[in-house]
Amino acid sequence: MTKYLSLLSLALVTLWACQGESTSTNGEQTRGETPTSYDNADGAATKADRLPVEVKKISKVSADCQSPDDLCARVELQYPYLAPSVGPLAESVNEYIRNAIAQYAESTPGAKLSTEQVADAFVKEFETLLKNNRDIPSGSALDVQGEILYENDRLLSISLPIYSYVAGAAHPNAETELASFDKKSGKKMAYEDLFADRAALETTIQEQFMQVIKGKTQEALTLDDFFWGEGFSLPKNFVVKKDSMLFLYNPYEAAAYVFGDISIELPLEDLQKMLKPGILSSN
């Protein structure tokens, strides 16, 4: 528990340092949404093909949140945003990001909240918890730092790391949402869209999975010790990068929390025979 609280303290200090100036509304400090331009650093798209992407920033803290040691809730959201004029891709990407963040508003499950409303709900949930239990040992934190990983003239790849801690929980949670989108149709790419030989891919990922596990523990474990008795499955999150593909199992997806995330990155040249012909080549 001491380890987890130390991690939480570090995260809260980082969040506080990133807050900057804020205003106070009804006892709740907020910086609101601040769109800025997004500099896509990694991509093969020409300048003319690159999308106009903004960075949305939302910062909120609960009442009486004056220093990193205060018992309060802090929210820091930063993520890429595509203007509706971009077309189907904007709708798909923006909704994907909204859904990924919305799951952290626990008091309103199933509600279609904006990211601003999610931040408000997260803060209010903490304030309700604190009102009912003044003995909670620490505050709550939600930190999202999304970015565009890669863009060419056909694909846009998104990374959305999310850190969360709810006061009173046994440990914080950290996971990353990954996705690649077809720029023309807006479709979020699935394995069947990219791979002609899924069986070969599964064999490769299984082998790489166990290699990563061997680097995390001295125990003699097999694939049967993972995936919660349901058998091997490819990770929910994968993304196309410039010269590679990243496959990511978040904590609890395939293994216990102690194993953390399990990240597998493979060069595109190693996957070439499994991919559909020409699927990742530029137009």
Side-chain angles (χ1 to χ4, degrees):
M1 177 62 75
T2 301
K3 173 184 176 182
Y4 293 135
L5 291 178
S6 297
L7 287 171
L8 174 62
S9 299
L10 177 61
L12 291 177
V13 170
T14 301
L15 280 170
W16 180 259
C18 294
Q19 290 287 333
E21 295 183 359
S22 60
T23 58
S24 180
T25 305
N26 298 325
E28 181 180 290
Q29 296 176 336
T30 174
R31 192 172 67 196
E33 293 197 7
T34 307
T36 59
S37 62
Y38 194 95
D39 182 17
N40 176 18
D42 185 14
T46 64
K47 187 174 182 179
D49 289 326
R50 290 189 179 182
L51 296 170
V53 182
E54 297 176 343
V55 173
K56 286 285 184 93
K57 297 180 180 180
I58 300 172
S59 295
K60 291 184 182 291
V61 294
S62 60
D64 301 322
C65 206
Q66 304 299 324
S67 75
D69 294 328
D70 287 337
L71 193 64
C72 58
R74 295 183 172 89
V75 179
E76 184 79 16
L77 309 180
Q78 178 173 304
Y79 56 91
Y81 173 81
L82 277 65
S85 59
V86 171
L89 177 64
E91 181 178 357
S92 185
V93 169
N94 294 341
E95 184 68 0
Y96 171 79
I97 292 173
R98 188 200 66 78
N99 284 335
I101 296 174
Q103 63 184 305
Y104 293 90
E106 296 181 352
S107 63
T108 53
K112 192 170 183 178
L113 303 181
S114 69
T115 49
E116 180 90 20
Q117 290 171 323
V118 172
D120 288 335
F122 189 88
V123 168
K124 286 181 172 61
E125 286 162 12
F126 170 80
E127 291 176 335
T128 299
L129 178 65
L130 183 61
K131 181 179 179 181
N132 296 327
N133 180 11
R134 300 298 302 186
D135 294 327
I136 56 176
S138 60
S140 294
L142 176 61
D143 184 24
V144 177
Q145 298 295 322
E147 64 175 334
I148 292 177
L149 279 183
Y150 175 66
E151 180 183 6
N152 64 16
D153 58 358
R154 298 184 63 175
L155 294 174
L156 182 73
S157 294
I158 302 288
S159 172
L160 201 67
I162 302 173
Y163 170 95
S164 68
Y165 180 80
V166 176
H171 56 72
N173 287 310
E175 62 179 33
T176 300
E177 300 280 344
L178 297 172
S180 293
F181 296 83
D182 181 279
K183 290 175 70 173
K184 184 176 181 179
S185 68
K187 176 179 170 58
K188 177 177 175 288
M189 305 301 285
Y191 283 109
E192 55 266 27
D193 297 317
L194 297 174
F195 289 91
D197 192 343
R198 185 181 178 115
L201 176 65
E202 290 184 351
T203 297
T204 298
I205 298 300
Q206 285 182 35
E207 294 171 352
Q208 294 296 318
F209 179 91
M210 292 310 301
Q211 287 297 318
V212 174
I213 291 298
K214 288 178 182 178
K216 290 176 175 283
T217 180
Q218 298 297 315
E219 294 185 59
L221 300 174
T222 70
L223 201 63
D224 291 336
D225 294 306
F226 300 94
F227 299 95
W228 312 108
E230 297 181 358
F232 173 83
S233 62
L234 291 170
K236 298 175 182 177
N237 290 283
F238 72 96
V239 73
V240 179
K241 299 178 68 177
K242 186 175 183 179
D243 299 308
S244 64
M245 288 188 68
L246 176 62
F247 304 84
L248 178 67
Y249 293 95
N250 278 305
Y252 292 123
E253 184 178 347
Y257 181 84
V258 68
F259 286 95
D261 60 29
I262 298 169
S263 177
I264 299 166
E265 187 163 359
L266 299 173
L268 287 179
E269 60 182 1
D270 291 353
L271 298 168
Q272 203 63 47
K273 292 182 179 179
M274 308 173 204
L275 291 165
K276 291 183 176 181
I279 189 66
L280 294 183
S281 61
S282 299
N283 291 327

